[in-house]
């Protein structure tokens, strides 16, 4: 079955540690995205990538980094520079250039900083 | 003004009633509009998208778009308790690249 796989589903981190969230898709989609969701807030865009080896900052990129070495993979690193990293992280993909541009989401990764 | 605005709710309706969810957006050049359903602790799932003025129906769901008034709505007919969730409105802004901006969501509660 085609879809987006995020791992881990739950992650606990001590302050000062970097953590990497995995996102893999087998939908053959060109574009991939990372969103962050906090209680009572909408989804906010962290980074997005249209093609391999290229990515752009979203609205809240500070304290995060990404890579796009393969079409299928778009890992997100939450660095120690991110001041408030506890959140629900969602990876998504879409067919770039399609008018409707609907996003397909993975199941999410919930990060808690202890 | 927020780019995409929704009433946070909760919107409470009895089972079998019509639930009406509304969303307004600020960018008049926005191209396409989406409704996602999100159950507590889960990721959003796409219900419908619309990009032309008027109504679009899919089963019990109807999306309505009025670009002149800059609002999009979602009607759920014959509401079921399983429809209880947060409904997110998302708008593809006319920014030159493909970017969805999400509202904060409306929580819907359908009582048996």
């Amino acid at each position: 079955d085609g879809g987006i796989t995020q791992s881990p589903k739950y992650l606990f981190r001590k302050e000062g540690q970097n953590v990497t969230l995995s996102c893999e898709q087998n939908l053959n989609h060109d574009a991939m995205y990372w969103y962050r969701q906090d209680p009572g807030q909408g989804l906010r865009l962290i980074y997005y990538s249209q093609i391999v080896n290229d990515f752009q900052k979203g609205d809240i990129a500070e304290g995060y980094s990404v890579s796009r070495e393969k079409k299928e993979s778009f890992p997100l690193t939450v660095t120690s520079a991110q001041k408030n990293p506890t959140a629900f992280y969602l990876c998504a993909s879409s067919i770039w250039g399609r008018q409707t541009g609907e996003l397909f989401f993975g199941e999410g990764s919930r990060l808690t900083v202890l | 003004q927020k780019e995409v605005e929704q009433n946070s709710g909760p919107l409470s309706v009895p089972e079998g009633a019509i639930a009406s969810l509304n969303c307004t957006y600020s960018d008049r050049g926005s191209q396409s509009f989406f409704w996602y359903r999100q159950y507590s602790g889960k990721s959003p799932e796409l219900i419908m998208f619309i990009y032309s003025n008027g109504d679009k129906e899919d089963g019990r769901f109807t999306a309505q778009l009025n670009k002149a008034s800059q609002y999009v709505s979602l009607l759920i007919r014959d509401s079921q308790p399983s429809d209880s969730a947060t409904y997110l409105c998302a708008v593809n802004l006319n920014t030159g690249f493909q970017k969805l901006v999400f509202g904060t969501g409306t929580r819907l509660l359908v009582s048996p």
Side-chain angles (χ1 to χ4, degrees), chain B residues 31 33 50-55 65 67:
Chain B
Q31 300 288 324
F33 309 85
I50 186 169
Y51 51 85
S52 298
N53 270 330
D55 295 359
L65 175 61
K67 288 189 176 181

Side-chain angles (χ1 to χ4, degrees), chain B residues 32-84:
Chain B
S32 45
F33 309 85
F34 305 83
W35 284 101
Y36 285 84
R37 177 176 62 198
Q38 187 176 26
Y39 292 112
S40 181
K42 303 295 185 182
S43 63
E45 55 179 325
L46 181 67
I47 298 176
M48 293 188 70
F49 64 85
I50 186 169
Y51 51 85
S52 298
N53 270 330
D55 295 359
K56 180 181 178 182
E57 186 174 322
D58 184 2
R60 295 187 296 113
F61 300 95
T62 299
Q64 299 175 319
L65 175 61
N66 184 323
K67 288 189 176 181
S69 301
Q70 295 176 240
Y71 82 80
V72 56
S73 61
L74 179 70
L75 301 179
I76 306 175
R77 290 182 300 280
D78 189 24
S79 295
Q80 301 297 310
S82 58
D83 294 326
S84 298

Side-chain angles (χ1 to χ4, degrees), chain A residues 58-92:
Chain A
D59 300 316
I60 56 165
E62 184 176 352
Y64 300 97
S65 65
V66 294
S67 63
R68 186 85 186 274
E69 297 176 1
K70 299 186 300 182
K71 185 177 183 177
E72 301 80 18
S73 179
F74 192 42
L76 174 74
T77 297
V78 184
T79 75
S80 57
Q82 169 52 232
K83 299 303 180 188
N84 186 19
T86 294
F88 188 43
Y89 290 89
L90 289 158
C91 179

Side-chain angles (χ1 to χ4, degrees), chain A residues 2 9 11 15 21 26-28 31 35 37 41 43 46 63 71 74 81 91 95 98-100 104 108 110 112-113:
Chain A
K9 290 189 70 173
L11 186 61
E15 283 193 32
L21 307 180
N26 60 4
L27 300 169
N28 200 32
Y35 283 87
Q37 187 175 34
Q41 297 195 35
L43 278 66
I46 304 172
K71 185 177 183 177
F74 192 42
C91 179
I95 300 172
R98 182 168 165 165
Q99 179 186 11
T100 53
F104 298 88
R110 192 169 297 278
T112 301
V113 173

Side-chain angles (χ1 to χ4, degrees), chain A residues 22-52:
Chain A
S22 170
C23 178
E24 303 277 334
Q25 56 100 358
N26 60 4
L27 300 169
N28 200 32
H29 285 170
D30 304 300
M32 297 187 73
Y33 310 77
W34 276 103
Y35 283 87
R36 167 181 173 146
Q37 187 175 34
D38 295 282
Q41 297 195 35
L43 278 66
R44 292 183 290 168
L45 182 63
I46 304 172
Y47 269 99
Y48 67 99
S49 169
Q50 302 174 44
I51 57 172
V52 173

